[in-house]
Amino acid sequence: MTLPAARSLLLVTASAVFSGCAGSVNAPPSSPAGASAECPDVRTLHAAHLYGSWTVELPQAGQRGQLTLRQHPEYSASLRGEFSYGGQRSIASGDVEDGEFNLDESRDGKTLHAFWSGQLVPAACGAEIRGKWQPLPREGQPKPAESDFVLRRPGTASGSW
């Protein structure tokens, strides 16, 4: 093969390789929004995927603690659990649907103490939930401040399933 022919072949080969790379980088994702090859689509996760222990962070309230979730005893597609944060223990009941997470919190098992409304974080593969904690006002007490919240599975790095 002559030198000009070898250069032409090299250029054609390099061009094909680079155009293939560029095409794969710019190609639209083949998985649904919120999913990747390593993670499930968080919109498809159900209550059973959330069973277990979670760390609790309430940054604006300056509190940390733990949440344990399991199957609700009366509603198999729902969640039941216990919070422990700020020196208090609470009961939690709620659901996850289409990536939306909602829990009601009660300190006495009869009255609502707070609402937890959030979203499963797609990049965390279902191991992190972020949202808003909204405590209910109590008669004769100042209105409690809301806080963002972060729930994370202990021992999992963000982005691992």
Side-chain angles (χ1 to χ4, degrees):
M1 186 178 287
T2 66
L3 187 56
R7 276 192 190 150
S8 293
L9 181 59
L10 181 61
L11 286 174
V12 168
T13 304
S15 176
V17 168
F18 289 129
S19 68
C21 290
S24 66
V25 168
N26 295 323
S30 60
S31 56
S36 72
E38 300 85 32
C39 294
D41 181 352
V42 295
R43 296 172 300 176
T44 65
L45 299 181
H46 300 286
H49 294 105
L50 305 183
Y51 296 168
S53 295
W54 296 79
T55 60
V56 175
E57 293 178 36
L58 295 164
Q60 289 85 3
Q63 298 193 30
R64 299 173 80 78
Q66 183 164 342
L67 168 65
T68 303
L69 292 172
R70 62 182 171 283
Q71 183 178 24
H72 192 287
E74 297 171 30
Y75 307 103
S76 62
S78 295
L79 298 162
R80 173 62 62 88
E82 294 85 28
F83 280 107
S84 174
Y85 67 93
Q88 299 286 321
R89 291 197 164 297
S90 303
I91 299 168
S93 294
D95 297 290
V96 62
E97 188 173 332
D98 296 327
E100 292 185 34
F101 174 82
N102 294 290
L103 285 181
D104 296 339
E105 177 186 357
S106 174
R107 295 237 165 122
D108 62 8
K110 298 174 189 167
T111 57
L112 286 175
H113 173 72
F115 295 110
W116 298 70
S117 301
Q119 299 283 323
L120 279 75
V121 177
C125 304
E128 181 173 307
I129 304 168
R130 291 181 174 264
K132 188 65 84 178
W133 174 72
Q134 300 169 301
L136 282 95
R138 303 282 175 246
E139 193 171 318
Q141 295 182 3
K143 182 180 178 189
E146 294 181 359
S147 179
D148 294 329
F149 74 78
V150 180
L151 302 177
R152 287 190 187 95
R153 288 195 183 276
T156 59
S158 181
S160 65
W161 174 240

